[in-house]
Amino acid sequence: ELSTAVMKQFVGAGLIVLLALGADGASPRPRAPVRGSQVLARAFAGGAVALALAAGPSPGLAQDAGSFKIERGGASSSTEGYSSGAYKTITRGVTLDRADFSGKNLRGVAFQQSIVRDANFRGANLVGASFFDATLDGSDFTGADMTQANLELAQLNRAILKDAVLKEVYVVGNTLFEGVKTIENSDWTDTDLRKDQRTYLCGLESARGTNPKTGVDTRESLFCP
C-alpha cells in the first residue's frame, strides 16, 4: 500500500499545478473565486488519478488471462446462473482450453463459437447452455445436465458424455459426434438426431447403461435397434 507521505506528495503536487493554472486546469485568467475546499478536492482527485496510473494494475489481477476472462469478464448473452450478479462471464468466441467448470451453475450461458478443449464440465448445470459452433474436443461432461442445450455445429471429438443428461438437445446434421470418447449411461430423450448420427451413436461400444439421474436406458433413449 502507498504511504501517507506519498499521498501528501501527490496531493501537494496537484495543489501546485491547480493553483498555477487557476484551480481548474485552464490558462490563468480572471474568474470567479474558487473556494479552498474545491481546490483541495480537485487536487486530491488529480492526485488519486496520478497514483492509480503510477501504481499500475493491482497485484490481484496478475492471474491467468483465461481465468480472468471467466471470473471477471464482461457479459455473455446469458442473464442466468453462473453469469448472473456482479460477475459475468466472457464465454463467447474465446479460447477456454482446460478451463474448470466442474459443478458450476452454467444455466443458459453461451459458449458459442468458443474453443473449449479438454475442459472440465463434470456435474455442471448446462441446462439451456449454447455450444453453437463450439469446439469441445476432449472436454469432460460426466454427470452434467445438458437438457435443451444447443449443440448446433459443435464438434465433440474425444468428449466424455458419461452419465450426462442430453434431453431435448438441439443438434443439426453438422453437429460432429464422431470420435466421442464415451456416451455410457447418457440420456438422449427427445433429442432429434439425424439418422446417421443415431446410427453412429448406437454403434458405439459405450452405448449402454442407465442414466443415474433420470433412470433412462441409454439405448432406449437413442431408439437403438
Side-chain angles (χ1 to χ4, degrees), residues 1 5 26 44 150 183 221:
E1 295 183 359
F44 184 80
N150 184 353
I183 63 168
S221 69

Side-chain angles (χ1 to χ4, degrees), residues 167-197:
K167 297 170 62 176
E168 303 177 53
V169 169
Y170 181 69
V171 299
V172 293
N174 288 330
T175 299
L176 298 177
F177 292 109
E178 284 77 4
V180 66
K181 190 170 184 179
T182 178
I183 63 168
E184 184 177 0
N185 302 332
S186 55
D187 180 359
W188 300 78
T189 301
D190 295 328
T191 293
D192 189 15
L193 295 162
R194 206 171 64 177
K195 183 178 180 181
D196 60 312
Q197 293 170 327

Side-chain angles (χ1 to χ4, degrees), residues 73-211:
S76 73
S77 63
S78 171
T79 57
E80 299 183 78
Y82 188 59
S83 64
S84 65
Y87 298 139
K88 296 193 176 183
T89 57
I90 292 178
T91 50
R92 299 175 59 179
V94 293
T95 299
L96 298 170
D97 288 351
R98 292 175 296 282
D100 185 2
F101 293 108
S102 57
K104 298 292 186 181
N105 179 9
L106 302 168
R107 185 185 183 94
V109 171
F111 292 88
Q112 60 194 56
Q113 298 179 317
S114 291
I115 299 174
V116 196
R117 295 169 296 200
D118 301 303
N120 184 357
F121 289 96
R122 294 176 67 95
N125 179 357
L126 293 167
V127 175
S130 176
F131 292 97
F132 172 83
D133 199 21
T135 301
L136 304 172
D137 295 355
S139 288
D140 187 352
F141 294 92
T142 299
D145 189 348
M146 302 175 72
T147 301
Q148 296 182 339
N150 184 353
L151 291 178
E152 180 180 2
L153 304 179
Q155 178 176 308
L156 294 106
N157 184 39
R158 299 185 295 105
I160 299 171
L161 299 176
K162 183 177 180 179
D163 300 335
V165 178
L166 296 115
K167 297 170 62 176
E168 303 177 53
V169 169
Y170 181 69
V171 299
V172 293
N174 288 330
T175 299
L176 298 177
F177 292 109
E178 284 77 4
V180 66
K181 190 170 184 179
T182 178
I183 63 168
E184 184 177 0
N185 302 332
S186 55
D187 180 359
W188 300 78
T189 301
D190 295 328
T191 293
D192 189 15
L193 295 162
R194 206 171 64 177
K195 183 178 180 181
D196 60 312
Q197 293 170 327
R198 192 181 308 279
T199 300
Y200 175 78
L201 292 173
C202 288
L204 294 174
E205 184 180 348
S206 61
R208 62 175 184 266
T210 301
N211 187 270

Side-chain angles (χ1 to χ4, degrees), residues 9 22 39 45 58 65 69 72 106 108 168:
Q9 289 178 3
V39 173
S58 168
K69 285 181 179 180
R72 299 290 186 272
L106 302 168
E168 303 177 53

